[in-house]
Amino acid sequence: MTSTTTAPPIRPVLMVLTSHGTKGATGGEPTGFYLGELTHPLAELEAAGIAFELASIQGGEPPVDGLDLGDAVNARYWNDSAFREALHHTQRLGDVDASKYSAIFFAGGHGAMWDFPTSPDAARVTREVYEAGGVVGAVCHGPAALVNVTLGNGAYLVAGKNLSAFTDDEERAVGLAQTVPFLLATTLVQRGAHHHPAPDWTAQVVVDGRLVTGQNPQSAAGVGAAMRELLLRQN
């Protein structure tokens, strides 16, 4: 008599969104999380049956930017009532139990530059997921969440890691290099990261162990696909 074992289901991926809605500490133009940098990775994860939960820095409904419904993936999610309900009621990141998740992912959008790097909750949950063997992913401005994450040994998570993020040249191209509180790629390098830029607005995904990062909106689906493959291999 033979017995078979079934691999346990992959724990959900925690998708984290900014709660900061303006370009600048006070006033300024509206911003938020970039919709395609959430929906495109989600589509890749859900294609493999990997569940997700949403969180934001403050909880509740986060501000959205890049609401391009001419993008078929965006439109599919935006017109899904269950997705919209989840988006209206995101968890507050400080209330999250990191042990429930197989991975954490930070979507971009310029709002991330203000509240991701200063959030102690982002630093805590990222560290706990990573040190428990989970996957950490981020795209575009999402790696702003990683600039101040330190591990249990005191080292920056990104130190010595290969990664990709929104480049200084791309920030200058959109005219916001003087608006954001810091230049993301430069700051990651200052933390000891090895930043790998591609030409502006071309897809670039870098995988270093359990860290998956992408340069810009064009990289969002690729980050989701790379996270999916890591999670499937772990399982």
Side-chain angles (χ1 to χ4, degrees):
M1 181 176 178
T2 60
S3 62
T4 60
T5 58
T6 303
I10 297 171
R11 287 170 294 160
V13 175
L14 184 67
M15 315 292 282
V16 183
L17 309 172
T18 179
S19 295
H20 191 91
T22 58
K23 294 174 181 172
T26 59
E29 299 175 15
T31 186
F33 77 91
Y34 204 78
L35 183 60
E37 294 173 22
L38 172 64
T39 61
H40 284 253
L42 275 182
E44 297 294 332
L45 293 167
E46 290 200 296
I50 298 172
F52 73 94
E53 293 181 12
L54 299 179
S56 62
I57 300 300
Q58 295 179 10
E61 184 171 8
V64 64
D65 197 4
L67 187 59
D68 175 12
L69 299 186
D71 177 310
V73 176
N74 278 352
R76 173 161 63 88
Y77 279 96
W78 196 251
N79 294 322
D80 182 291
S81 59
F83 173 78
R84 291 288 292 279
E85 180 69 11
L87 198 57
H88 283 309
H89 302 286
T90 66
Q91 303 173 78
R92 190 177 73 88
L93 191 57
D95 296 333
V96 161
D97 175 0
S99 69
K100 292 173 54 180
Y101 303 101
S102 64
I104 187 169
F105 168 81
F106 292 94
H110 271 93
M113 291 293 289
W114 280 272
D115 63 356
F116 277 7
T118 60
S119 168
D121 302 316
R124 173 187 66 83
V125 180
T126 302
R127 178 177 61 252
E128 289 176 358
V129 168
Y130 189 77
E131 291 192 329
V135 173
V136 172
V139 69
C140 198
H141 289 94
L146 308 179
V147 298
N148 291 321
V149 176
T150 55
L151 301 177
N153 62 5
Y156 286 112
L157 184 154
V158 299
K161 299 288 199 310
N162 297 291
L163 52 72
S164 184
F166 201 66
T167 68
D168 296 356
D169 284 345
E170 286 170 320
E171 202 68 85
R172 295 184 189 101
V174 298
L176 292 172
Q178 303 303 316
T179 302
V180 292
F182 58 91
L183 291 173
L184 179 55
T186 289
T187 303
L188 288 164
V189 170
Q190 290 171 348
R191 298 292 193 261
H194 305 299
H195 181 248
H196 298 272
D200 292 2
W201 321 120
T202 58
Q204 172 80 323
V205 176
V206 176
V207 180
D208 190 333
R210 292 177 287 107
L211 179 65
V212 183
T213 49
Q215 178 170 319
N216 45 31
Q218 293 79 7
S219 311
V223 170
M227 292 181 68
R228 178 191 67 213
E229 295 311 306
L230 282 174
L231 292 170
L232 291 172
R233 286 206 298 269
Q234 282 187 348
N235 213 46

